[in-house]
Amino acid sequence: MRTEPDLIVIGGGSAGMAAALEAKKQGIEKILILETDPYLGGVLRQCIHTGFGLHTFGEDLAGPEYAARFIRQVEEAGIGVLLSTPVLEVTEDLTVRAMSRDEGYLELHPKAIVAATGCRERSAGTIAIPGTRPAGVLTAGTAQRYLNIEGYHAGKRVVILGSGDIGLIMARRLTLEGAKVLLVAELMPKSGGLKRNIVQCLEDFDIPLLLSTTVVEIHGRERVEGVSLAPVDENLTPILEKKWRVDCDTLLLSVGLVPETELFQAAGAPVEKNNGLRVDENLMTGIPGLFACGNAVKVHDLVDNVTLQGVKAGGFAAAFIKGE
Amino acid sequence: MEDVIVIGGGVVGCLTLRALASWKLRVRLIEKQYDLASGATMANSAIVHAGYDPEPGTRKARFNAEGNRLYPALARELDFLFLPTPSLVTAFGEEQEETLEKLLARGRENGVEGLSILRGEELFRAEPRLSEKVTAALRAPTAGITEPWSVAITAAENAADNGALLNLGEEVTGLSRLPDGILVTTDKGEYKARAVVNAAGVWADRIHDMLLPHAFSIRPRLGQYYLLDRKVGDLVKNTLFACPTREGKGVLLSPSVHGKLLIGPDAREVSDRELTPTDAEGLRFVRESAARFLREPLPMNLTIRTYAGIRPTPDTGDFIVGKTDVPGFYQAAGIESPGLASAPAIARELSETVARDLGAAKREDFNPFRRKQIRLNRMSEEEKRELISRDSRYAVIVCKCEKVSEAEIVDAIHRNAGARSVKGVKKRVGAGFGRCQAGFCQPVVVSILARELGIPKDQVLYDGPGSEILKGKVK
């Protein structure tokens, strides 16, 4: 039987690892990180581009390097980690029920919990693009995983909808791997991506960014054969008279990220409009003893800021456990 | 030589195949698509209607009421998801209340049990969020909700467990009469059979016309739907209908067996029988039609999927079931709504007719039970504890949203009528049905399929041939 941890961190990405390390620094001995995937580091593992750690380490690191530094620290600090351990339920009285490949069914009663579950990508289904539903419509993050982890192309002639950072990063990445990125369409009159990404990922590769434009129809029977695009008016309504078709085999979506917080909502924790957990100035949610950090609170542009918030949440959780 | 060939692997074809397999007959199913349940069975309202809607005396009326009664036992035998969920046909004002009275009388004539008309407090207790503008509702307690594709797939699996043969991805291209039966020609070969059952869905008229002069046409209609996040799956307790019109039952609002909220459909006649695109106008119609059921606005921002399905509407107005003028050629055609509810009764009657005509006896060794499917996400805490202590592979969650484990996926691949594609996995175990729409789990499902089928990842299909997800290795 596992001894009861004082602190459980749900999610072993950048936010969760930072929180666990800080709590340990503040004197909390019994800490357990529960991670659904079979590895620590979360989405950083597939972010093989650089741009990580400029603030935290003063260095320009790739995602896996940034994650590796924290994974090493977690190991050195002797923080408990259970991988392949999805959490099934969290309750208002801080009971955590989880399944672990290695330890079976777990019911734990920590003194505090840090929610560090990150975010998910908005899907084609969520934004209800008209047309067919063939293979070849996928989110930028899924394509990134196929390319960087599995070593496979998800498409050769690609249209990207949405100019979020993952979409921009993937435009460059796909181009470098020999795919043709035809264009990036953005519904809004300006891109939500970082300026440096627009320059380095689109402009440097002559990939057009069409603002105030959206995909109005997906074509294709088994595989995407093309998409129809149209400009939108000031109410973001497509002007269908001006639509045109582009032949492509893939539609990549970078249309936003949503905090992954349903586990805590089910326990009664309130969320903001963005689906992020509502937190007070101590990063505590509506449930006493349940703290939150990283993209589960709000989607961050930079991992360094996620780490910073993780450190804070870990500190506040430690103080809570010590009764401060 | 086969005894019976069933053409079409939808809910009617698969249930008929299974019913035939309970007789001493050699049976084979031929399906054009790569997977079973790829046509009308894949995308519809998933309602097992009670049977108050069809005109008394029609085949629709008879099969619907009978089929509905068969569902609870069928769901136990085949272990598919079926949840009794009452229907409420809502009336807005006096004129529509008259329609309710007509439906009530019709339902009683059709032999539907337990029908009643609710008003006032009783009505709002049954459905607390119902709009105050609803003045009365016809309640049908025997209605239910299910997974239509699972009804078909589990029936085919059980038939195959009992010796039936399944030819998937094979298209029937011709039929001709033989002295002692029918010759079935496909794009892959020829089969002789003593009897053929036409259960070809949207293509049933074309199959019919291969042997007989043109007698009916299928006028395929498309219906579009919204699926909303399980966070609002309990918004309604019943399946809510508007009063039916000439155009059909209209837009409904229903819980799904997966705890989500289903809204739809519209109805639009289309020329392409297999392509099922959604369109902005139809989706708007669905949204606006459904908006009046409840006193609060529908949370459309929690949409996780929109889709469309095809319906094999016949120009005859009623189901076409039974013998034809060609000896040995039988049909179950034009099975539009309430086809899902009717299918078990159609299958039973049709198989009995065929078996009698062929002089076959019942098999004593037919096993009607499919091997139980483990569904982690439906287990109690105790059951999960026990399962995982016995087999830790069930703790490896692949689909985070729906909590589907790797072991469940592997099992679904290796059963008879098993999954061979990403969509096949989705249909059988629900991986990818959740709020992230497979963003997280699709790469893992692709890896599992590649490993279990012994193929490279870039040959793994999303659905049919040509739907490869990956386009080759990175250099």
Side-chain angles (χ1 to χ4, degrees), chain B residues 11 15 44 46-48 71 146 148 151 335-344:
Chain B
V11 69
L15 283 170
N44 54 67
I47 310 292
V48 178
Y71 259 90
T146 188
V151 180
I335 314 298
E336 59 170 344
S337 180
L340 178 62
S342 307

Side-chain angles (χ1 to χ4, degrees), chain A residues 73-275:
Chain A
Q73 288 180 47
V74 166
E75 282 166 5
E76 285 167 3
I79 291 169
V81 176
L82 281 180
L83 301 173
S84 295
T85 305
V87 174
L88 303 174
E89 192 185 6
V90 173
T91 66
E92 211 179 348
D93 66 355
L94 304 188
T95 299
V96 176
R97 298 196 174 91
M99 291 190 320
S100 169
R101 188 186 52 194
D102 301 325
E103 305 211 356
Y105 195 93
L106 297 171
E107 184 178 304
L108 300 164
H109 304 86
K111 294 177 181 141
I113 298 171
V114 174
T117 40
C119 59
R120 64 173 175 269
E121 296 179 279
R122 288 179 77 202
S123 71
T126 313
I127 58 172
I129 305 175
T132 53
R133 296 164 300 289
V137 181
L138 71 175
T139 58
T142 306
Q144 187 179 49
R145 171 168 174 153
Y146 279 130
L147 198 59
N148 295 346
I149 304 284
E150 318 277 337
Y152 282 90
H153 280 288
K156 290 290 174 70
R157 278 179 68 81
V158 184
V159 166
I160 300 179
L161 175 62
S163 59
D165 286 309
I166 315 173
L168 300 176
I169 297 282
M170 281 308 291
R172 174 176 63 187
R173 185 79 187 96
L174 287 163
T175 306
L176 290 173
E177 289 295 343
K180 176 75 188 160
V181 178
L182 299 161
L183 61 93
V184 176
E186 169 59 54
L187 177 73
M188 306 305 287
K190 76 189 259 286
S191 168
L194 293 170
K195 179 71 190 156
R196 72 170 192 224
N197 283 336
I198 292 175
V199 174
Q200 294 168 11
C201 300
L202 298 188
E203 290 172 10
D204 289 358
F205 295 91
D206 294 325
I207 298 167
L209 171 61
L210 308 183
L211 298 172
S212 297
T213 303
T214 194
V215 172
V216 293
E217 192 174 355
I218 297 170
H219 308 280
R221 217 167 267 268
E222 296 293 341
R223 174 86 200 185
V224 172
E225 291 160 21
V227 295
S228 288
L229 295 140
V232 297
D233 64 19
E234 58 278 10
N235 302 317
L236 307 180
T237 306
I239 307 165
L240 291 176
E241 303 80 62
K242 293 188 182 168
K243 77 171 177 184
W244 78 99
R245 182 179 158 140
V246 173
D247 289 340
C248 58
D249 63 23
T250 303
L251 174 63
L252 222 59
L253 298 166
S254 178
V255 291
L257 301 165
V258 182
E260 180 83 6
T261 56
E262 280 71 17
L263 186 63
F264 310 104
Q265 288 180 45
V271 288
E272 302 287 351
K273 221 171 157 214
N274 66 356
N275 209 44

Side-chain angles (χ1 to χ4, degrees), chain B residues 358-406:
Chain B
L358 298 183
K362 268 274 179 192
R363 271 172 65 175
E364 290 95 47
D365 62 341
F366 177 77
N367 179 6
F369 289 94
R370 191 175 73 101
R371 178 166 56 82
K372 282 263 177 214
Q373 189 174 334
I374 287 172
R375 294 185 176 92
L376 193 70
N377 55 16
R378 297 199 172 239
M379 286 184 156
S380 68
E381 202 187 316
E382 269 321 299
E383 287 169 323
K384 278 180 197 149
R385 207 182 275 271
E386 195 275 325
L387 174 70
I388 291 157
S389 65
R390 193 158 43 85
D391 189 343
S392 64
R393 295 174 312 141
Y394 285 96
V396 182
I397 294 291
V398 173
C399 171
K400 299 179 189 184
C401 302
E402 300 293 294
K403 303 276 185 295
V404 180
S405 64
E406 175 163 353

Side-chain angles (χ1 to χ4, degrees), chain B residues 124 127-132 234-236 293-296:
Chain B
F124 294 100
E127 196 55 77
R129 292 185 147 97
L130 203 60
S131 159
E132 292 102 326
D234 58 359
L235 207 57
V236 291
F293 281 123
L294 304 185
R295 55 187 77 184
E296 62 208 69

